[in-house]
Amino acid sequence: MLDQAAHENFPVAPFFLPRAWRTDLMAVYGFARLVDDIGDGDLAPGGGDAVLLGLDRAQYDDRPALLDALEADLRRVFSDRAPGPGHPLLRRLGPTVRRCGLTPGPFLDLIEANRQDQRVSRYATYGDLAAYCELSANPVGRLVLALTGTASPARIRHSDAVCTALQIVEHIQDVAEDLGRDRIYLPAEDRKRFGVDEADLAAPSGGASVRALIAYEAERARELLREGTPLVGSVHGRLKLLLAGFVAGGRAALQAVAAADYDVLPGPPKPTKLSLLREVGATLRREG
């Protein structure tokens, strides 16, 4: 599970960070991947994770039960009473929680976002989608600020903009994959505006209306990245480089989408390492 960190748009815990930060970031990432894998039905076969969370092996595909069990195990991380958490990823999270003084809120929000994925498969308005991102994406940025001891109201506001943008970028890249899970994260009001129905999204490639819709959503993500980029200039040292990498990862992914003429249906356009490095440099020059 943790090896997936290398395949994000930007590395989650790059080599240039202090070892303690890398350890803490990977502990948080491990939890985030676990909750997403439960919500998406992507756990390893065999039911091992269900057993580790205190369930019967036969409940390996009961997503609501797994999310409830995960919440119960998470609460053991924050409790002094025995027994401690059963899942090794949550046991790994414990020292980070104690060292950094983390609170349960962001972790519970990530679980709630995946519960919402079990109930909600379409979003009527951008406001509805933004509320979902408040649960599914923004807690991650807030955790990064908490891990590095740099949280402030202004930084949290900018971080939320960046994280919502990155979530929208992921939705743009993964339209076909999400539809395969019977999920559409492109707001219905936007689809109606561009004359796109669900059958259009199921096509092998996007027609003009689909590509216009994707371009519209991409510009929304670009604007959010612009709104959040002052976060990079508000910090120093290696944290500045890490945050610049997150912003640059979003920008480079949007460049890849644009280079594909906004046709994301054949598969997710991915940025090259060179384009990512160029965007990191550009972001640092703007915010240095």
Side-chain angles (χ1 to χ4, degrees), residues 2-272:
L2 295 182
D3 61 354
Q4 296 180 49
H7 302 292
E8 303 292 340
N9 282 328
F10 184 78
V12 173
F15 69 91
F16 57 77
L17 293 180
R19 182 184 296 272
W21 283 10
R22 287 160 54 197
T23 298
D24 292 336
L25 284 166
M26 289 305 296
V28 168
Y29 179 82
F31 173 85
R33 283 305 324 169
L34 176 60
V35 67
D36 280 353
D37 286 347
I38 290 173
D40 291 340
D42 287 339
L43 290 176
D49 288 291
V51 173
L52 289 168
L53 290 170
L55 299 177
D56 186 271
R57 193 176 297 275
Q59 293 176 279
Y60 73 96
D61 60 349
D62 186 339
R63 299 181 199 180
L66 286 163
L67 290 168
D68 288 348
L70 179 62
E71 178 178 338
D73 217 30
L74 173 68
R75 293 189 182 280
R76 295 184 193 104
V77 174
F78 291 89
S79 173
D80 293 330
R81 294 185 296 177
H87 199 288
L89 287 175
L90 276 83
R91 292 199 296 270
R92 181 177 182 177
L93 184 63
T96 291
V97 163
R98 291 185 288 274
R99 182 165 50 246
C100 301
L102 302 181
T103 60
F107 300 100
L108 292 171
D109 284 346
L110 293 174
I111 293 174
E112 189 57 35
N114 280 272
R115 286 196 178 108
Q116 186 165 315
D117 277 332
Q118 311 312 307
R119 304 188 305 268
V120 180
S121 61
R122 308 290 190 274
Y123 289 84
T125 68
Y126 172 66
D128 295 336
L129 182 67
Y132 169 74
C133 293
E134 180 70 19
L135 296 173
S136 67
N138 298 0
V140 176
R142 296 182 182 201
L143 283 166
V144 170
L145 294 176
L147 291 176
T148 56
T150 55
S152 72
R155 285 178 180 141
I156 289 171
R157 185 172 66 253
H158 290 136
S159 172
D160 285 352
V162 171
C163 289
T164 294
L166 295 178
Q167 181 77 87
I168 291 173
V169 170
E170 183 177 321
H171 291 160
I172 290 171
Q173 291 175 302
D174 294 342
V175 169
E177 179 182 337
D178 289 335
L179 188 60
R181 300 180 190 273
D182 191 32
R183 295 177 189 168
I184 298 177
Y185 293 103
L186 305 172
E189 63 181 3
D190 297 344
R191 289 187 276 121
K192 181 178 179 180
R193 173 179 178 176
F194 288 92
V196 173
D197 59 28
E198 294 192 17
D200 296 322
L201 299 179
S205 62
S209 59
V210 171
R211 287 184 280 111
L213 170 62
I214 297 301
Y216 178 79
E217 304 298 347
E219 182 54 36
R220 173 176 277 154
R222 286 190 195 95
E223 180 56 37
L224 284 166
L225 286 173
R226 286 192 287 269
E227 180 184 330
T229 297
L231 175 66
V232 178
S234 74
V235 298
H236 304 283
R238 286 176 281 189
L239 179 58
K240 178 189 286 287
L241 185 55
L242 176 69
L243 298 181
F246 291 149
V247 172
R251 287 177 171 157
L254 289 172
Q255 283 184 354
V257 170
D261 197 22
Y262 300 99
D263 186 6
V264 298
L265 298 188
K270 295 291 187 180
T272 66

Side-chain angles (χ1 to χ4, degrees), residues 31 127 188 190 211 274 283 285-286 288:
F31 173 85
D190 297 344
R211 287 184 280 111
L274 180 58
T283 300
R285 286 194 296 275
R286 292 188 195 107

